[in-house]
């Protein structure tokens, strides 16, 4: 069975899903799971397609002290218990910088570029890139695709994209990037299904959690975001 793994590695958790590509129509989810509480109360949980529990196991904090340890332990469990053929991996990556405005296949050159943005999203970018780096070393032939939280906002107008600073700084990459784009893109697409009479109009969407922001949509496209050069701009958040 050919499958795709989707990974969202954050600062305190690693979420993952595995999809079956052999069925007709849209890929079917086989497994949904996460390792959370990294470094404090680590716990690996995963459920099958029918909702049944595949694993629910807690670890000592020293066993899963960081994201690489969480990735390693989760990968070991998958290898030992599942028999599917993995042909590609998709990753959520917070910052695509000025270069990437759409998903991209990641090789070592692309990874080096993305590492330049670590300081702009220090709680997320290094963790997002950790599984990519591990898989490049272990399975260099495996296709890995990075999907960026900044990409959805690249449709902003020139006025919205610029700060009131000299143009040379914009050329160096200091601009309003916006974040949570994968969430907003999903919402924009779902609006066309659940509220088509609204989806093509002007809509304000809120992404609320430990990280929070708002986005203005027009015809399903981002025209403004409360977040800018880094994810610190805009609404007060968890920290």
């Amino acid at each position: 069975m050919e499958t795709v793994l989707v990974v969202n590695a954050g600062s305190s958790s690693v979420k993952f899903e595995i999809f079956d590509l052999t069925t007709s129509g849209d890929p079917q989810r086989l497994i949904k799971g996460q390792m959370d509480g990294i470094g404090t109360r680590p716990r690996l949980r995963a459920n099958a397609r029918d909702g049944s529990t595949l694993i629910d196991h807690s670890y000592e904090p020293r066993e899963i002290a960081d994201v690489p340890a969480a990735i390693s332990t989760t990968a070991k469990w998958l290898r030992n218990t599942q028999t599917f053929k993995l042909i590609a991996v998709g990753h959520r990556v917070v910052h695509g910088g000025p270069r990437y405005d759409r998903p991209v296949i990641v090789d070592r050159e692309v990874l080096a570029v993305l590492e330049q943005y670590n300081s702009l999203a220090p709680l997320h970018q290094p963790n997002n890139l950790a599984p990519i780096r591990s898989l490049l070393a272990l399975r260099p032939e495996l296709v890995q695709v990075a999907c960026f939280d900044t990409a959805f906002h690249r449709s902003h107008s020139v006025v919205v994209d610029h700060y009131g600073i000299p143009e040379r700084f914009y050329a160096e990459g200091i601009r309003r990037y916006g974040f949570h784009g994968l969430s907003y893109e999903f919402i924009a697409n779902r609006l066309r299904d659940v509220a088509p009479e609204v989806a093509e109009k002007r809509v304000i969407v809120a992404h609320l959690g430990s990280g929070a922001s708002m986005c203005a949509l027009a015809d399903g496209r981002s025209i403004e975001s409360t977040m800018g050069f880094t994810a610190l701009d805009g609404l007060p958040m968890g920290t």
Side-chain angles (χ1 to χ4, degrees), residues 50-157:
D50 60 6
S52 60
T53 299
L54 297 173
I55 186 173
D56 188 342
H57 184 76
S58 296
Y59 301 83
E60 292 295 326
R62 59 181 172 76
E63 294 181 277
I64 313 292
D66 51 27
V67 171
I71 294 169
S72 176
T73 300
T74 303
K76 182 178 179 180
W77 172 77
L78 286 170
R79 287 195 302 269
N80 291 341
T81 62
Q82 308 301 317
T83 59
F84 49 75
K85 179 183 179 182
L86 185 63
I87 64 169
V89 183
H91 301 267
R92 178 235 182 167
V93 177
V94 164
H95 215 308
R99 181 177 300 191
Y100 301 116
D101 61 356
R102 65 200 64 193
V104 62
I105 294 176
V106 183
D107 55 19
R108 296 191 182 279
E109 180 181 348
V110 172
L111 179 62
V113 173
L114 297 178
E115 287 174 335
Q116 297 176 16
Y117 310 133
N118 283 353
S119 62
L120 303 184
L123 292 180
H124 295 88
Q125 192 81 353
N127 294 321
N128 296 159
L129 300 182
I132 298 176
R133 188 180 302 104
S134 296
L135 285 170
L136 278 174
L138 295 172
R139 295 275 309 274
E141 82 289 353
L142 189 63
V143 175
Q144 297 193 76
V145 177
C147 301
F148 303 104
D149 262 330
T150 51
F152 185 64
H153 303 294
R154 297 278 46 83
S155 57
H156 286 177
S157 69

Side-chain angles (χ1 to χ4, degrees), residues 12-45:
S12 62
S13 68
V14 175
K15 300 181 178 69
F16 63 94
E17 298 190 15
I18 295 173
F19 292 87
D20 178 9
L21 300 182
T22 60
T23 59
S24 59
D26 294 334
Q28 297 297 307
R29 186 171 67 196
L30 296 174
I31 298 175
K32 178 179 182 180
Q34 66 182 63
M35 172 79 81
D36 54 21
I38 295 172
T40 56
R41 301 177 64 183
R43 182 183 180 190
L44 175 59
R45 290 173 287 172

Side-chain angles (χ1 to χ4, degrees), residues 157-192:
S157 69
V158 172
V159 172
V160 171
D161 212 22
H162 279 66
Y163 287 105
I165 55 178
E167 180 70 16
R168 69 179 185 276
F169 294 119
Y170 180 86
E172 293 174 6
I174 301 178
R175 60 192 70 181
R176 296 182 61 86
Y177 289 105
F179 298 89
H180 293 151
L182 295 174
S183 173
Y184 291 127
E185 185 174 10
F186 173 80
I187 292 170
N189 289 334
R190 284 293 291 145
L191 275 176
R192 299 188 189 279

